[in-house]
Amino acid sequence: MTGKIHSFESFGTVDGPGIRFVVFMQGCPMRCKYCHNPDTWNFTGGREKTAEEVAAEVLKYKNYFGERGGVTVSGGEPLMQIDFLIRLFTILKSKNIHTCVDTSGICFPLTGSEKYEKLLSLTDLFLLDIKHIDAAAHIGLTGQKNDAPLAFAKYLSDRKKPMWIRHVLVSGLTDDDGALMRLRAFLDTLDTVEKVEVLPYHSMGEIKYEKLNSDYCLKGTAPPARERIENAKRILGAGK
């Protein structure tokens, strides 16, 4: 079995607890306006690698991330390649490595599936990116509905799987007190949220759009002001 891999990061510090080896998968159905990895969208890109090859790469760095760190699979959207994830995590768990998936939940089938049950049994933590709580705004921001991401959050909570919620704060798009309060109300219905992270928008990915000869629709958008970041953290209960 092979997976489409975009790249590796051997010393990640912002993708879960401790030091993480991060596997970036290729392919994503979302088209988030603020995405800083547009080079991961196209599923025809990347390199094909077996789960065994990726696990072997991970094991080279096991001594660096130790017991507190581990492996995070990100993207792109890793759940597009759930069979590969299951195989990879089966190997990693046999080596007592902490496993984490960074996902938008967009690929989740609303009724669940045996594959998802299997993946949950092999995954220690989910980083769930909730783009926008409002249905219409979510479509405008990502090109996709938010039914699956919200259902996935409930699915994880019902099955007692730990999750960290991530929310990117973009002036004029997601920095709205009403929407933030509605998101907080939704999060309060979940039982297994261990942490909420507010991620301020940045334009560091803009150069990638230029390299891809693609228009960057948020060109000129400034990062949110510090007081707006603190406001969002306060509303969402981030940093507790």
Side-chain angles (χ1 to χ4, degrees):
M1 178 184 297
T2 62
K4 282 292 191 72
I5 309 298
H6 176 269
S7 57
F8 298 135
E9 182 180 350
S10 60
F11 202 83
T13 58
V14 295
D15 299 287
I19 297 170
R20 316 294 298 181
F21 185 99
V22 186
V23 181
F24 293 94
M25 305 296 289
Q26 185 74 30
C28 184
M30 305 271 265
R31 294 295 180 266
C32 300
K33 290 183 176 179
Y34 55 71
C35 181
H36 60 275
N37 288 323
D39 46 331
T40 67
W41 288 351
N42 192 338
F43 191 71
T44 61
R47 297 166 291 163
E48 286 198 13
K49 288 185 174 293
T50 66
E52 288 75 12
E53 287 173 327
V54 174
E57 191 68 24
V58 168
L59 291 172
K60 295 177 184 177
Y61 298 90
K62 187 178 180 182
N63 289 338
Y64 290 96
F65 52 73
E67 293 184 3
R68 186 170 182 270
V71 174
T72 298
V73 180
S74 186
E77 174 48 64
L79 294 184
M80 286 184 71
Q81 303 185 64
I82 189 170
D83 293 322
F84 178 84
L85 270 187
I86 290 171
R87 177 60 186 156
L88 176 61
F89 280 9
T90 298
I91 299 171
L92 296 180
K93 293 311 296 178
S94 74
K95 305 295 183 181
N96 296 315
I97 293 174
H98 184 278
T99 55
C100 176
V101 176
D102 181 6
T103 177
S104 69
I106 194 64
C107 296
F108 179 65
L110 297 181
T111 57
S113 73
E114 290 184 6
K115 288 183 179 181
Y116 275 80
E117 294 290 342
K118 180 63 175 177
L119 180 64
L120 263 62
S121 73
L122 297 165
T123 306
D124 296 304
L125 175 68
F126 286 86
L127 308 182
L128 181 58
D129 302 298
I130 297 184
K131 312 295 184 178
H132 209 296
I133 192 63
D134 295 337
H138 193 278
I139 293 173
L141 180 63
T142 72
Q144 299 281 348
K145 296 180 179 180
N146 66 356
D147 307 50
L150 300 185
F152 188 55
K154 293 293 289 182
Y155 180 80
L156 294 176
S157 177
D158 290 345
R159 283 154 182 78
K160 309 304 179 187
K161 294 304 298 186
M163 67 181 114
W164 293 5
I165 300 297
R166 293 175 142 186
H167 184 68
V168 179
L169 193 70
V170 188
S171 301
L173 288 178
T174 63
D175 184 12
D176 173 82
D177 284 5
L180 291 170
M181 287 187 282
R182 289 189 290 278
L183 176 56
R184 173 62 185 269
F186 173 72
L187 297 183
D188 285 344
T189 69
L190 306 175
D191 295 327
T192 57
V193 175
E194 295 184 343
K195 187 176 183 179
V196 178
E197 296 181 317
V198 173
L199 308 179
Y201 164 79
H202 61 75
S203 60
M204 289 186 288
E206 187 173 337
I207 191 171
K208 293 185 179 180
Y209 289 81
E210 295 176 2
K211 290 181 178 178
L212 294 170
N213 293 316
S214 179
D215 292 333
Y216 184 58
C217 64
L218 295 186
K219 193 176 184 65
T221 299
R226 179 174 295 276
E227 57 266 26
R228 294 306 300 171
I229 298 171
E230 294 305 316
N231 175 71
K233 287 182 177 180
R234 183 172 59 252
I235 292 174
L236 295 178
K240 294 183 178 179

